[in-house]
Amino acid sequence: MANVVVIGAQWGDEGKGKITDLLSRSADIVVRYQGGVNAGHTIVVEDKILKLHLIPSGILYPEKICLIGSGTVVDPKVLIKEIDMLIENDIDISGLQIASSAHVTMPYHRLIDEAMEKQRGIKKIGTTGRGIGPTYSDKAQRNGIRVIDLLDKEKLKERLNIPLKQKNDMLTKIYGEKPLNELEILSEYIEYGKRLKEHIVDCTKTIHEASRNKKNILFEGAQGTLLDLDHGTYPYVTSSNPVSGGACIGAGVGPTLIDRVIGVAKAYTTRVGEGPFPTELEGRINDQLCDRGGEYGTTTGRRRRCGWFDGIIGKYAVQVNGLDCIAITKLDVLDELDEIKVCIAYELEGKRIDYFPCSADDFSKCRPIFKTLPGWKTSTAHCRKLEDLPESAMAYLKFLAELMEVPIAIVSIGANRDQTIVVEDPIHGPKRALLSA
């Protein structure tokens, strides 16, 4: 039994939703600890495709507590649509809980996000325009609205007064937009509060009661390591901390409560939005990876940029997150390739380096140094045990494990739940994962 953090080991979109869904079977409580509706998980259950943005994917299992933690930012309008979608699909949402201290994304946050990104022009960051950055900004400036404020109209009016004046000034005087109406916002958001009231809880109390009762807790991050505000490819990052340390802050627990950390990485690399991407591909192979992998953003629908597996950012993710095992997803996307390349080092200004440079300017100058491995040219979709995999596919996985110096616990070879090779369950299983060659 263990309390486990699941993180993305690349730029997000690694398939964390499927891995979280898989591990949720062994968990009693699943906690989403950061991010907002800029994240997206796609889960395939019995031919149903369910897209979640805020609600942990553990909600698909009955009798699980699924907690949206204090470190998240909640857009109640989107959350309620998500709840309604689950109800329409006969999913029991009685286990859904929302931290009373989580901050709320307001209408002005979305408008300002879009206006700021438009103003950046060719230097745009690639934000989703969902208001996440401005929400976290207000939180840091002690100017935010919290979920608990939606339960009291007078309190909400008081909390809204100053930020709305400031934001209306910004919208009208800087960005040339129309001002927002206070009464309309109050009326709309108090109704959201009424709808969500039964799900709102004290986040820290809930988690620590579960811990005292020896429950298994799964902490779920959004986005990925290289999008971390402090440790990613700044400024092309998100506005929170997807790394494993963010689980402690976003959920309100100490590090001693965490037993294990599993990272999720694709068998290749993708990135959505702007920013440097050393192993990025163009042409036929890029299109092949994109089409076979369905590489379109869950939240925005944007086509993802595709590239070869980057072992340097993989090693960096292992270090920053303290990973003790990893899940490799979408191995099947590589099935048709004659050969597969893996980045094992960079060339930076004529010198070979084997580490991730903290400067985005330096990172943008990095040129990948590849090792080429043979492809397996056969389908892996039917594989359910390691022994079922083609010899070259096993060699590829072992090479990745050796390069990143971390064992592989799970291999995903398709979107469906059963298209998964579980070498080790990080929650219940012994530490016996696939080791490097």
Side-chain angles (χ1 to χ4, degrees):
M1 297 176 67
N3 297 328
V4 176
V5 181
V6 182
I7 63 94
Q10 295 164 322
W11 276 285
D13 307 309
E14 301 96 345
K16 294 186 299 299
K18 179 181 177 180
I19 303 304
T20 304
D21 174 65
L22 178 73
L23 296 179
S24 294
R25 295 182 301 186
S26 302
D28 300 299
I29 178 169
V30 184
V31 184
R32 165 74 179 277
Y33 62 82
Q34 50 76 225
V37 296
N38 55 338
H41 288 336
T42 301
I43 310 295
V44 179
V45 183
E46 298 177 352
D47 298 325
K48 283 186 179 180
I49 299 175
L50 303 176
K51 297 186 177 184
L52 302 173
H53 299 275
L54 276 170
I55 300 176
S57 48
I59 198 70
L60 302 181
Y61 294 96
E63 300 179 0
K64 307 288 182 186
I65 293 175
C66 290
L67 175 58
I68 299 173
S70 299
T72 58
V73 291
V74 176
D75 186 326
K77 185 174 184 178
V78 175
L79 177 57
I80 288 170
K81 286 182 179 178
E82 202 162 298
I83 289 171
D84 289 340
M85 179 274 292
L86 291 172
I87 292 172
E88 288 170 9
N89 283 278
D90 298 319
I91 305 296
D92 179 14
I93 57 122
S94 60
L96 174 64
Q97 298 186 0
I98 308 160
S100 59
S101 52
H103 279 249
V104 178
T105 296
M106 302 297 288
Y108 46 77
H109 291 135
R110 293 190 294 270
L111 291 172
I112 288 171
D113 196 4
E114 293 171 354
M116 289 176 67
E117 185 74 343
K118 183 177 179 181
Q119 191 179 62
R120 291 185 182 106
I122 61 171
K123 294 184 178 181
K124 64 181 180 178
I125 293 172
T127 173
T128 61
R130 299 300 197 268
I132 308 304
T135 309
Y136 275 114
S137 179
D138 271 2
K139 175 181 177 178
Q141 293 175 349
R142 285 84 73 193
N143 212 15
I145 308 292
R146 302 203 298 177
V147 167
I148 196 169
D149 298 328
L150 303 182
L151 303 180
D152 185 320
K153 189 170 184 178
E154 289 306 312
K155 183 185 291 184
L156 179 58
K157 183 177 181 180
E158 179 185 343
R159 294 273 194 268
L160 185 62
N161 184 261
I162 292 176
L164 184 58
K165 286 179 180 178
Q166 292 175 344
K167 299 307 186 291
N168 273 339
D169 280 347
M170 291 178 66
L171 289 168
T172 57
K173 296 176 182 178
I174 299 176
Y175 299 117
E177 301 286 344
K178 293 180 180 179
L180 293 168
N181 182 279
E182 180 183 28
L183 292 178
E184 289 179 0
I185 294 175
L186 276 172
S187 176
E188 179 182 359
Y189 278 72
I190 283 297
E191 289 303 312
Y192 294 151
K194 291 177 182 177
R195 178 74 189 277
L196 298 174
K197 183 177 181 179
E198 64 180 293
H199 300 286
I200 297 172
V201 300
D202 181 327
C203 174
T204 303
K205 182 173 180 288
T206 298
I207 293 173
H208 285 278
E209 282 181 354
S211 178
R212 279 197 300 272
N213 292 323
K214 308 298 181 185
K215 301 295 186 181
N216 291 322
I217 306 171
L218 185 65
F219 298 90
E220 173 189 9
Q223 290 90 34
T225 299
L226 275 295
L227 292 178
D228 188 272
L229 181 60
D230 294 296
H231 304 290
T233 50
Y234 191 89
Y236 303 101
V237 293
T238 193
S239 303
S240 57
N241 294 109
V243 295
S244 60
C248 295
I249 298 169
V253 302
T256 53
L257 192 71
I258 308 299
D259 297 304
R260 304 195 66 184
V261 184
I262 179 172
V264 184
K266 279 178 184 164
Y268 49 103
T269 309
T270 62
R271 175 165 202 174
V272 68
E274 308 301 316
F277 183 2
T279 67
E280 185 171 11
L281 287 161
E282 295 180 354
R284 180 181 61 83
I285 298 179
N286 172 71
D287 293 341
Q288 189 173 349
L289 292 177
C290 186
D291 293 340
R292 280 184 57 83
E295 297 299 351
Y296 298 89
T298 303
T299 299
T300 63
R302 288 181 293 181
R303 179 175 169 133
R304 297 178 186 133
R305 301 154 65 189
C306 296
W308 296 119
F309 190 93
D310 190 328
I312 303 305
I313 68 171
K315 288 196 293 185
Y316 178 70
V318 171
Q319 295 164 356
V320 171
N321 294 288
L323 300 184
D324 62 356
C325 61
I326 198 162
I328 297 294
T329 64
K330 295 196 175 185
L331 183 69
D332 56 300
V333 175
L334 306 180
D335 284 352
E336 297 180 356
L337 299 180
D338 294 313
E339 60 181 31
I340 302 164
K341 294 184 179 181
V342 177
C343 176
I344 58 172
Y346 300 137
E347 180 183 308
L348 176 60
E349 296 181 337
K351 295 182 179 179
R352 179 182 173 124
I353 63 172
D354 61 357
Y355 59 87
F356 171 70
C358 62
S359 164
D361 291 334
D362 286 344
F363 190 52
S364 67
K365 298 174 187 175
C366 287
R367 298 294 173 262
I369 297 172
F370 289 116
K371 179 177 177 63
T372 302
L373 289 85
W376 40 94
K377 298 289 289 181
T378 186
S379 174
T380 58
H382 65 284
C383 299
R384 296 298 180 268
K385 304 188 298 293
L386 288 178
E387 305 85 70
D388 297 337
L389 290 171
E391 185 177 336
S392 293
M394 276 292 293
Y396 180 69
L397 291 173
K398 288 184 177 181
F399 182 77
L400 298 186
E402 181 180 20
L403 180 61
M404 293 186 289
E405 299 178 341
V406 67
I408 297 174
I410 298 169
V411 180
S412 172
I413 31 78
N416 291 314
R417 281 175 170 173
D418 68 331
Q419 292 180 297
T420 313
I421 299 171
V422 180
V423 187
E424 175 205 353
D425 183 333
I427 294 179
H428 279 311
K431 294 189 177 184
R432 191 180 62 243
L434 173 65
L435 297 174
S436 56

